[in-house]
Amino acid sequence: MRAEASNRRDRLRAMLADLKMPGALEAVDDVLAQADSGAATASEAIEQLLDAQIALRNNRRLQTAMRSSRLPAVKTLEQFDFAFQPSIKREQIESLHELGFLDRRENVIFLGPPSRAS
């Protein structure tokens, strides 16, 4: 029985590799361990494998888009220096970052003078 399960795992890995699903291939051991222990049903295990593949694909797509955009650097809100620009209110920006205006169906308009790109 043990050899059969091991053989099945090897076949699953080979199929995922053949289907070019590296995200699912990376997650398959953890997902099968959950299924074997009863922590996940078969449909949950399949869903987890597909989620892993989709997450990897979306991450790669984002990385490719960022590279092709030729932006100078990736910057996050946490890196923004609010002390450098005191006219910007941290609370307002953080509130906008939570996207609550979408649920409330409100418009957001940014006003200010144009800047010069250096």
Side-chain angles (χ1 to χ4, degrees), residues 11-28:
R11 287 194 313 270
L12 284 171
R13 284 188 202 96
M15 285 187 259
L16 291 171
D18 191 38
L19 289 169
K20 294 179 177 48
M21 296 179 70
L25 184 59
E26 186 177 316
V28 72

Side-chain angles (χ1 to χ4, degrees), residues 10-98:
D10 290 340
R11 287 194 313 270
L12 284 171
R13 284 188 202 96
M15 285 187 259
L16 291 171
D18 191 38
L19 289 169
K20 294 179 177 48
M21 296 179 70
L25 184 59
E26 186 177 316
V28 72
D29 290 328
D30 291 336
V31 171
L32 289 177
Q34 287 181 18
D36 290 344
S37 70
T41 64
S43 60
E44 290 170 338
I46 293 169
E47 182 180 18
Q48 289 173 14
L49 286 175
L50 294 175
D51 279 343
Q53 180 61 35
I54 290 168
L56 178 69
R57 183 187 64 193
N58 289 342
N59 189 26
R60 284 182 174 174
R61 193 176 290 160
L62 177 62
Q63 288 175 353
T64 301
M66 292 300 291
R67 275 193 305 276
S68 68
S69 72
R70 296 188 181 156
L71 292 171
V74 175
K75 298 189 180 190
T76 65
L77 188 57
E78 290 79 27
Q79 297 169 323
F80 186 79
D81 183 9
F82 285 95
F84 179 75
Q85 187 60 273
S87 64
I88 296 177
K89 296 181 179 111
R90 178 187 291 265
E91 296 79 22
Q92 277 185 321
I93 299 300
E94 288 175 350
S95 174
L96 290 170
H97 185 253
E98 293 172 2

